[in-house]
Structure formats: structure tokens, C-alpha cells
Amino acid sequence: MAHDSDLPCDGDGRCMICKINPPEEEKITCKTCVTPWHLDCLSARPQTLADAAQWECPDCSSLVSSHAPPSAVASGSEPSDSLIAAIRAIESDASLSDLEKAKRRQKLLSGGSDDGDEPAEEKKEVAGGSSSGSGGGNDVLKLLSGSFNCSFCMQLPERPVTTPCGHNFCLKCFEKWVGQGKRTCAICRTSIPSKMASNPRINSSLVIAIRMAKMTKSNAASGPPKPYYSVLNQNKPDKAYTTERAKKTGKANACSGKIFVTVPPDHFGPILAENDPERGMGVLVGETWEDRLECRQWGAHLPHVAGICGQSDYGAQSVALSGGYEDDEDHGEWFLYTGSGGRDLSGNKRTNKTQSFDQKFDKSNEALRVSCKKGYPVRVVRSHKEKRSAYAPETGVRYDGVYRIEKCWRKPGIQGFKVCRYLFVRCDNDPAPWTSDEIGDRPRPLPNIKELKEATDVTERKSPPSWDYDEEKGCWLWKIPPPDSRKRASTVDAGDGTQTKTVRRKTHIMSVSERLLKEFCCLICHKVMTQPLTTPCAHNFCKSCLQDAFAGQTFIKERNCEGRRTLRAQKNVMKCPSCPNDISEYLQNPQVNRELMSVIESLQRQTKEMEENAVTEEEMLDADVAEEDKVEVQAVNSEANEDIKESDEEEKADAKPSLEANEETKAEANEDVKESEAVAKPSPKVSKKRKAKGVTDNAPNKKVHQETDNMIGADINKDETVNPGPMEAEDMKVGEVGKDAGAKTRSRKG
DNA sequence: ATAGCTTGTCAT
DNA sequence: ATGACAAGCTAT
């Protein structure tokens, strides 16, 4: 269907005729499909400026008349109908493969976002550089870059969202589209539910998929794939115990549990591998727990109700974003946080939505101010209860890395009473869970905060921050040592002098494709999805599982009371199996996410191939593992490993001194043992390779292309024309990012 | 929607 | 030690 002599610019902005990347002023954009074309290479150029503004590309102008099926042409006269016609033409072209079709579609739709979009350099590189090679992750990447792109910007979706009709877009592109008043899918024109339009949720499975694909690519260039450590919930031992009384009234009422990490409660910054005797990997960005209590057990955020962990004379170590304060404003890499208090909690309330007095900089609010002045890193967890933020997890509580508080002030809150406000900006060495970036944050200019105009009591940091970016090392670290801990670490230590028994659990290392597949599990059957569906609340299921879950249910409840008059039919509420959202509307016409499906299928093929190849290595690797085990057991000076049962029981008993409690916990410990044994059994399907070595030796020492624009930069540019400035580094070497570097600079033990 | 609870931590 | 407080959680 392509025009004989004319060709547009490709996804990289390069003219497909002369192969150069023309500057913006030499490009012209089609008013219909918004595809960029190289002016110099066009056979018929627009003559006037007005012409240029109304210019329609050769593809679009010729399509309606000559190529589109008649049904499509007949359907209307508004301009974008020719776009639909074009898409239909592509779809009906039997000479094209599915991949080709997808590419053509994207080409057509490429520029849907009007004003100068920010084509990320790095993305471009990834999207374009997958042509060679057929083995390993390249297939996945090819798939991802070929058919997975956001139809607006033609890049791999950044912060991907999925429409009920099964199409994937960048969050920002989607928001822009919706912001223009559009309420239909840009690909298929299915209407977008208003809830999705006003509150799109990031499809975290896709985030992982894209990031992994990028990793796969960088690995393809530099040696064997790096192992990826799974953070499976089942691998997490020792659920918080529940007392009999609490069981009656619900878990919320009485829970505690072992703290698994060995950091003191007033520890600042990331929780490193050295403080994680359970798994030896520390608390990783993106790790998600079932609830606040489980989050507490891993030390990310200790208070199980309060939003702020901190001491007014010392500083704040962590905060939770849980949607409890309506003034909060979440932009992912930065957010505005509201202090606590100002509420009437009489009557034994935990919380109260209405403010009844001003907040002050005291207690935990003051603690946050101290962290602001000192420039301490503050751990941030986001809870699924934060419903307004696209960055909140769909379920549970997630660790999102460390942020710095750059400013704080007071202002009248939405309810009229003064609230304390804090500007948090991310400064973590690991990328945030919602980006497909491979590297963490870089120093970035502060966003323009409008409300500062009406702010009082503004506090800014005067002295250099304790936690800052080291240009030389290329990572964030303690420039000024953190304050000495004033508390004892909550060790797993028995306290009576006996050596802590470290229960070492086998950390399962998965191949890239395995890991990816894991991300594509149906939330109902927990197997890799077949015919994946994504609900508007961003949960993924097999089509059959979701349909089975509502089998026999009708969308409408007939309310016939015998004999009496018939009541009006009532809509049946159908709750998403993973969250309380009503998805009945979605269920009337759920569409398979075909892009996701093809990625899954490709991964399955690959995993199968890899398994076949791995069989021969298996024995050798097993021997390796045994050897390492020996060494480590000596080092820890404990029996470790085999007697999980014994140590579990002892620890449990020690944690709870009272007699009857002992009975109770013992019984539970046994249950736990069953569970952990089941987990410890290595899955027969997966070869346990390279174990712990991976953690230490495989420190991220990769060359990465620095993405020049990040969302903050973009936001700022839009809002107040500040240059993103200092983040231009290209080909920056990021050796010793994250954990390792942190460990070096902060060698004190907790 | 809301009442009402455990528990851990802060500050006194 | 003691009281106040906390952005959770479940049953009603």
C-alpha cells in the first residue's frame, strides 16, 4: 500500500529515503496520521505555511480513495476516519505479516501526541537496535520493539497502561490523549471507561517485561545473561504471628512478627545485603509485601499504622504513601507529602479523614524536617490504598527506594487547616518500579511548586546533604556519614548468647526468560497466562480463568419478588479477583492483550530451548553449589540449611516468652516448617545455577546509555521552562551502582 | 460506610 | 512507666 516514491521518517526519526536524521525544521508532520516526513525527500512539497499546517501525507491522502475497503470509507467524514481507514487497509492487506502490520499501524499513529514530544535517546537506541541475531533475548526484544510500542510515541511504552480493549500505551501519552478530550482507544476506537481515563494504572507486568528486555539487550552485547533474583513471596519465611484473640477480630488487631533484617530501627537509607541474613540480598526496590505488617518485618517502614517513621530530634527514616491525606500529590520521581496530625482521634480512632486543627512541625513532622535539613535518604513505600496515584502498586505495599526531602513548608490544606508539606525527590541507585530504565536516578532540577507562593515556615537545606550524588563514582552515597544509631538493631539474635542460626534459604536464580514468564502469571491460576486480559485496574488474568470466575453470573440481576410487582433490574457487581474494583463493564467485552500474548509465547519458546541446552550443564553446576555451601556454612559458623525446623522453632519460642504463647507459636512453627520445606525444595524445572556468586561478583558494572529526558525533566520543561540541565551525560559509566557502592562507603555494621 | 480493635513507638 | 498517637484492617 505504500506510496511509490515517498517514504516517511522511521521510528528513529530517520528519513527512510535518504537515511539521514533531519533536524526538526526540515520535517513536516501529517495532519491526519501525525507521521513525520522529510521535506527534502518529498515529491510534492506544500508551498505555503498554511499548506504545511494542513498538510496530509501521501499515504493518508491516497488511502481513502484507493486502498481502504469501502466499508471503512463509508463510515463518516471527520478527519481521523481516514486514519481508521488506513489501519483497516493495513489489517486487510494479506501480503503483510502480523509484525509488519503492527509496524505500519504504528507508523500511521506515531505522532498522536501533538506538541513536541520528547523522544528518548535511549529508547530510540533500544527500539532500533534489535535487528541482528536470532537467539536469546533478541527475539524478545525484537518482539517488544516490533509490536509492543506505544502507538503514540512509537517507543517501548514508558510506564505502560493497558486499555480494556487490550492495547498498550505510555502513561504520559495516554494522559495526553485523554487530556485532549479523547475517550476512545487510539488503535481500535473502543471507548475508554471514564475511570480508566481519569485514573489510569500502570501495568507493572509490562514494566518488568520491558526492563528485562532492555537488560537482555545489554547482556547480548556483554557476555552471558545476568541472573535475576526472584523475590517470591513464598520464599519469605515466618509470617507475622497472630494471637488467638486477634484471629477472632481479624489480623489487623494483633500482629507482630520477627524483623528479618538486622538494621536498627533508626537506620537511614537502603537496607543492604549485609543486613539481610535471611536472603543475603537486602531490600530491593520494587519488593512488595502483602500488608504493612509484612512491610514492617522487612524493615522498610516500621510503624504499621503511622505514615512516618522518625524521631523529632534525630530525623525521619521512612514514609508511607497510603492515600490517607488528600493533599498528597504523587508524580513518581517526586511527590508532595503531607505531615501527620491535625486530626481528632478521640474515641480510640487510628485515623480520621477530617482535619480539625492545624498541623505543626513537631513529632514526626519535625523528624521529616530534620531529614530535610540534613539531606538524609528517606525510604519510601507506596501502598495500594493510594488510589489516586498511577504509581501506587495494585496490591500490597511496595518499596520504591530512597528520596530526599528538598524543601518543607506549611500551607492551608484542602480542608482549610494548615498542613505541613514536604517535597520528596527520588535519589536511588536503582530505577523506580514504574520505569523501564535500567539505571537509577541522577540529580535533577527541582520541580516548580506553585503552592510555595502561599507557603509559610519554608525550610530549605542550607548545608550540604549527607546523601548525595557522587559524579566520580556515578552513584548516590553518604557524603557525610549517617548519624550514629541510638538503638540496638533488632537482630534475630536469641539474646542469651547463643549464636543466631542463620536459616539460609536457597535463593532461586532464574533466567531472564523465566523471570519474565513469572511476571506474566495469571492472578487466578498462578500459571503463565494464556490469552492474557488486563482489567482497567491493571490486573492480569487468563481469559478462561477470568471468565470461569464469573461463570453463571449474569450482568443484570432480575429482581422478581413472587407475586409482587417486578422491580427494576439491577446491575450485578463483579469484583476484580485481585481488588475491590467492579469490572462488570469490562467483562462484557474483555479483549485479549495480543501484544502481551505474543511476547509470552516467544518467551515460552525460548525457555524451552534454554532448558534443553541446560540439561547437560546441570550436574556440573550442582557440584559447584555444593562446594559453595560448604564454605558459607563454615563462615557463618552455624549448622544452617538442613535444620530449618529446629531453628525456626527456637526463634519463635524466644521471641515470645509467655507459656501459653509458646504452645501457640510452636503449633504455628510447625505449619511454617511445612511451608518452608515445600519452598526450599527446588523446582525440578529450573536449574539452580551460579547461586550467591551472582550477587557479589555480578555487581552492576555495565555501560549504559543515559536517558537524557526523564519524567521530572519533562514535567518541569512543560510547567516552567527550566532546562533539565545536569542530566545530559551520555555513555556514562555506571560502575558500582547501588548496593555495592553503598556498602563500601558505609561499612559500619548495624 | 464505619466502628472498634492490637500493637509499637514517641515523648513525657 | 505511662499516655497519646498512628496513612491498618476486618467484621458489621
Side-chain angles (χ1 to χ4, degrees):
Chain A
M1 67 136 227
H3 201 269
D4 288 343
S5 55
D6 289 321
L7 286 171
C9 300
D10 64 15
D12 299 348
R14 201 168 42 207
C15 173
M16 286 162 81
I17 291 179
C18 68
K19 310 288 182 205
I20 68 156
N21 205 333
E24 280 312 312
E25 59 271 21
E26 281 175 41
K27 280 188 208 163
I28 183 166
T29 307
C30 170
K31 70 156 184 173
T32 301
C33 69
V34 216
T35 310
W37 295 65
H38 188 196
L39 267 174
D40 290 352
C41 294
L42 272 175
S43 54
R45 272 167 254 172
Q47 296 305 307
T48 66
L49 255 179
D51 284 348
Q54 284 302 307
W55 180 75
E56 196 167 44
C57 72
D59 279 350
C60 287
S61 52
S62 64
L63 258 169
V64 181
S65 51
S66 61
H67 292 277
S71 62
V73 187
S75 64
S77 61
E78 52 179 301
S80 51
D81 277 348
S82 61
L83 180 58
I84 303 303
I87 292 170
R88 295 222 172 114
I90 293 169
E91 293 299 339
S92 57
D93 190 338
S95 69
L96 299 172
S97 70
D98 279 353
L99 197 76
E100 264 309 301
K101 283 181 186 173
K103 277 187 177 153
R104 304 270 170 119
R105 273 202 311 270
Q106 283 145 23
K107 200 169 73 190
L108 273 173
L109 289 159
S110 64
S113 50
D114 49 3
D115 47 324
D117 221 8
E118 324 80 26
E121 290 302 306
E122 189 210 357
K123 278 186 175 180
K124 184 173 86 182
E125 189 245 28
V126 169
S130 59
S131 53
S132 67
S134 57
N138 271 341
D139 274 351
V140 188
L141 191 76
K142 203 189 276 177
L143 242 164
L144 283 162
S145 59
S147 69
F148 222 131
N149 288 350
C150 166
S151 306
F152 295 114
C153 65
M154 296 213 335
Q155 317 291 345
L156 284 170
E158 171 71 24
R159 302 155 207 241
V161 295
T162 305
T163 58
C165 45
H167 297 116
N168 306 306
F169 308 97
C170 304
L171 173 67
K172 294 278 167 179
C173 293
F174 179 82
E175 283 176 339
K176 210 180 248 179
W177 177 253
V178 165
Q180 290 167 359
K182 308 283 195 339
R183 288 296 181 276
T184 53
C185 171
I187 292 181
C188 69
R189 287 205 136 189
T190 305
S191 75
I192 300 166
S194 58
K195 204 169 180 188
M196 162 106 196
S198 62
N199 187 12
R201 306 287 286 201
I202 291 165
N203 188 345
S204 49
S205 293
L206 292 195
V207 173
I208 308 280
I210 293 163
R211 196 187 298 176
M212 295 297 291
K214 286 184 175 181
M215 275 169 67
T216 312
K217 185 186 174 283
S218 56
N219 285 336
S222 61
K226 294 184 179 79
Y228 196 101
Y229 287 81
S230 62
V231 194
L232 294 180
N233 214 33
Q234 302 95 285
N235 287 344
K236 292 174 189 163
D238 304 300
K239 277 246 173 214
Y241 66 76
T242 310
T243 63
E244 278 307 313
R245 188 178 169 191
K247 274 179 196 155
K248 263 184 219 152
T249 37
K251 169 169 82 164
N253 280 342
C255 254
S256 182
K258 195 167 81 183
I259 306 287
F260 301 127
V261 292
T262 58
V263 290
D266 54 1
H267 164 83
F268 287 96
I271 292 160
L272 305 170
E274 68 201 61
N275 289 314
D276 175 10
E278 283 291 341
R279 311 175 303 178
M281 58 203 274
V283 175
L284 305 181
V285 168
E287 212 165 317
T288 303
W289 304 283
E290 197 180 310
D291 52 28
R292 285 282 295 268
L293 281 142
E294 210 192 348
C295 167
R296 169 188 159 76
Q297 291 187 279
W298 287 95
H301 184 66
L302 287 169
H304 63 279
V305 174
I308 304 166
C309 173
Q311 307 74 36
S312 59
D313 57 344
Y314 186 71
Q317 294 82 22
S318 58
V319 296
L321 281 143
S322 314
Y325 283 81
E326 54 188 334
D327 291 278
D328 284 2
E329 203 184 299
D330 194 359
H331 298 262
E333 276 76 8
W334 65 275
F335 59 88
L336 294 176
Y337 195 75
T338 310
S340 68
R343 294 164 162 186
D344 176 19
L345 299 176
S346 60
N348 196 19
K349 291 187 190 68
R350 285 328 90 155
T351 178
N352 183 341
K353 282 204 178 81
T354 42
Q355 294 272 141
S356 44
F357 48 94
D358 289 350
Q359 289 184 356
K360 285 188 296 192
F361 280 114
D362 60 358
K363 300 177 186 166
S364 48
N365 293 350
E366 177 58 20
L368 283 173
R369 186 155 73 166
V370 172
S371 284
C372 169
K373 287 183 201 159
K374 296 278 191 180
Y376 292 151
V378 181
R379 290 184 301 274
V380 170
V381 298
R382 279 184 175 80
S383 155
H384 69 105
K385 295 181 92 180
E386 170 56 271
K387 295 297 180 202
R388 298 162 309 155
S389 165
Y391 302 95
E394 309 98 85
T395 51
V397 183
R398 185 186 65 207
Y399 174 61
D400 285 348
V402 293
Y403 287 62
R404 265 188 339 204
I405 305 168
E406 301 294 346
K407 271 179 192 172
C408 52
W409 60 92
R410 285 206 305 164
K411 68 136 200 181
I414 290 170
Q415 296 187 22
F417 294 97
K418 281 201 167 183
V419 290
C420 298
R421 299 285 277 170
Y422 305 87
L423 167 60
F424 279 70
V425 178
R426 199 168 189 277
C427 53
D428 201 282
N429 288 316
D430 289 323
W434 51 83
T435 84
S436 43
D437 290 354
E438 294 165 83
I439 54 164
D441 301 294
R442 292 287 173 275
R444 37 167 77 89
L446 300 186
N448 182 31
I449 309 296
K450 289 193 190 95
E451 69 178 59
L452 270 173
K453 288 193 195 91
E454 45 171 349
T456 54
D457 315 288
V458 182
T459 308
E460 279 178 65
R461 187 167 49 244
K462 297 272 156 51
S463 50
S466 301
W467 174 261
D468 206 6
Y469 190 73
D470 188 304
E471 292 291 343
E472 238 168 70
K473 295 204 173 99
C475 66
W476 299 86
L477 44 81
W478 289 99
K479 294 279 188 175
I480 301 164
D484 283 331
S485 169
R486 305 184 304 183
K487 301 184 182 179
R488 225 178 104 257
S490 71
T491 53
V492 248
D493 205 297
D496 56 1
T498 49
Q499 183 79 60
T500 304
K501 280 176 193 166
T502 314
V503 182
R504 252 177 5 94
R505 267 153 237 267
K506 305 239 177 193
T507 310
H508 175 114
I509 302 172
M510 300 196 277
S511 74
V512 171
S513 9
E514 273 180 303
R515 165 68 184 168
L516 270 166
L517 281 174
K518 201 86 220 169
E519 290 301 326
F520 299 133
C521 278
C522 166
L523 292 165
I524 294 175
C525 68
H526 302 292
K527 291 186 207 127
V528 178
M529 288 182 282
T530 53
Q531 300 207 298
L533 296 178
T534 307
T535 64
C537 40
H539 295 109
N540 296 303
F541 308 97
C542 306
K543 188 173 186 184
S544 56
C545 287
L546 195 61
Q547 281 175 342
D548 286 354
F550 296 97
Q553 282 191 46
T554 49
F555 290 106
I556 292 187
K557 220 188 288 172
E558 297 291 349
R559 295 189 296 171
N560 290 334
C561 309
E562 332 78 44
R564 276 168 248 167
R565 73 186 173 91
T566 306
L567 292 165
R568 197 156 53 105
Q570 201 178 38
K571 213 185 86 176
N572 238 342
V573 170
M574 295 170 162
K575 272 170 76 175
C576 168
S578 308
C579 76
N581 265 304
D582 178 18
I583 55 168
S584 56
E585 206 177 307
Y586 171 72
L587 287 171
Q588 303 209 7
N589 186 23
Q591 291 299 312
V592 170
N593 192 334
R594 302 207 166 268
E595 295 167 338
L596 188 51
M597 189 162 80
S598 40
V599 169
I600 291 173
E601 283 167 358
S602 154
L603 282 167
Q604 282 171 326
R605 277 197 302 276
Q606 258 178 49
T607 311
K608 209 174 152 210
E609 273 173 38
M610 281 178 65
E611 262 170 29
E612 280 158 13
N613 295 340
V615 176
T616 45
E617 286 179 76
E618 192 81 341
E619 283 174 24
M620 199 173 70
L621 285 162
D622 271 350
D624 268 8
V625 168
E627 192 64 30
E628 281 175 35
D629 275 359
K630 235 185 274 166
V631 175
E632 278 188 49
V633 168
Q634 277 170 4
V636 181
N637 192 21
S638 79
E639 294 97 307
N641 250 355
E642 254 46 67
D643 47 13
I644 294 172
K645 187 168 184 164
E646 197 188 309
S647 58
D648 261 10
E649 248 175 51
E650 275 175 28
E651 276 166 23
K652 286 269 184 183
D654 287 332
K656 257 193 133 190
S658 92
L659 258 178
E660 75 241 72
N662 253 345
E663 287 307 308
E664 201 180 300
T665 39
K666 260 188 194 158
E668 264 180 43
N670 282 332
E671 272 173 41
D672 279 2
V673 169
K674 270 180 224 146
E675 228 180 276
S676 55
E677 273 172 356
V679 173
K681 209 179 345 165
S683 149
K685 269 181 80 179
V686 187
S687 57
K688 24 175 178 147
K689 6 183 148 167
R690 280 160 234 140
K691 280 197 49 140
K693 250 189 181 164
V695 180
T696 47
D697 296 349
N698 243 327
N701 192 20
K702 56 191 171 186
K703 260 194 179 163
V704 272
H705 289 274
Q706 168 61 24
E707 187 166 351
T708 49
D709 82 314
N710 52 62
M711 280 312 183
I712 280 212
D715 278 352
I716 291 163
N717 274 337
K718 228 185 298 159
D719 294 339
E720 27 128 14
T721 63
V722 171
N723 274 327
M727 311 191 48
E728 299 288 342
E730 69 284 329
D731 230 334
M732 182 185 281
K733 176 146 189 183
V734 186
E736 319 189 330
V737 181
K739 313 260 141 61
D740 275 20
K744 265 177 212 154
T745 48
R746 221 166 42 78
S747 56
R748 60 191 204 95
K749 287 248 175 181

